Amino acid sequence: MAEPPLSPLGAFVRQHDPDRYLAAIFAPPAKREALFALIAFNHELARAREVATSQIATLIRLQWWRDAVAEAAEGRPARRHEVAGPLHAAITEGALDAAALAALVDAREAEAEPEGIPTREAFGAYLRAGAGGLAVAAARLLGAPDAALPAVQRLGALHGLAGVLRSIPAHAAQGRCLLPQDALAEAGLTAEAVIAEPATAEPLRRALAEEGGVTLAKAEAVPRVALPAVLPVVLARRDLARLAAGRAVPHPRGVGDRAALVWAGLRGRLG
């Protein structure tokens, strides 16, 4: 039987988060639209800081999404928005947990702090709550057992690390730096210096990428049912290796990256 045509929400995800879109097509068709809603929601949270010009503006955007989630949980009507509508449906149908979504909003508040992320510990907490929390929400949607969720969260956090390291120049162009301040200080840097000249962070980026690659190599396997939630880690592994070697991450991704993810999806395992 032929696959149904891609929904508007699926097209939105394919445009704005092609890595997670490619992973999501390995989810069962009955789960796919809710997974698209989750990924699109995450994209909108990421945009809160990207398009805002101040901390207050970022927090207002995040509060809008926090309210949209709460209203769905209370059974109130959906907001008129291309992502809020499908997200509301996924919450009211029980596919997505409102508390978990609210926690994803909370995690993004670290990005609004003008002084940045203070320590490596806070940076790790940010990655676990944000990208890690997103992976956990996706795994729960897919029916993964609770025992698998800690491993899922760790893998999601490593995907988030690769994203932060890959995005240092883009973040600098937006006037921000998400690298932890203590790690910057150890490298003789400040967030202001990295924003002014992202290349100054290259030695630190290589070191953090190498650390992430070592951690990823030791990561536990996850059950096949959870695989679409963590498949982007295939790309994170490749990105961390590139960054540790001082090479650029291609954008848009080439055939090799996409083929690696698809092959992992078809085999049913990350390694």
Side-chain angles (χ1 to χ4, degrees), residues 103-158:
L104 294 180
V105 181
D106 294 343
R108 290 286 180 175
E109 290 189 350
E111 299 177 4
E113 293 296 332
E115 63 272 18
I117 299 175
T119 64
R120 286 175 178 263
E121 289 75 15
F123 183 58
Y126 158 73
L127 294 174
R128 289 189 297 274
L134 176 66
V136 167
R140 281 182 171 143
L141 163 64
L142 295 166
D146 288 347
L149 299 182
V152 167
Q153 185 179 42
R154 284 189 284 273
L155 289 169
L158 287 165

Side-chain angles (χ1 to χ4, degrees), residues 67-77 84 87-89 91-92 98:
D67 292 343
V69 168
E71 289 162 7
E74 294 164 2
R76 295 165 63 184
L87 184 72
H88 184 282
I91 295 169
T92 57

Side-chain angles (χ1 to χ4, degrees), residues 115-217:
E115 63 272 18
I117 299 175
T119 64
R120 286 175 178 263
E121 289 75 15
F123 183 58
Y126 158 73
L127 294 174
R128 289 189 297 274
L134 176 66
V136 167
R140 281 182 171 143
L141 163 64
L142 295 166
D146 288 347
L149 299 182
V152 167
Q153 185 179 42
R154 284 189 284 273
L155 289 169
L158 287 165
H159 179 232
L161 171 65
V164 170
L165 298 180
R166 187 177 67 237
S167 301
I168 288 173
H171 289 161
Q174 298 162 2
R176 59 182 175 138
C177 175
L178 292 180
L179 298 176
Q181 290 181 13
D182 60 354
L184 288 168
E186 291 167 9
L189 295 169
T190 64
E192 292 76 16
V194 174
I195 291 168
E197 182 46 73
T200 60
E202 185 59 23
L204 176 58
R205 177 160 79 165
R206 292 178 68 167
L208 292 175
E210 185 173 357
E211 290 176 14
V214 170
T215 302
L216 185 51

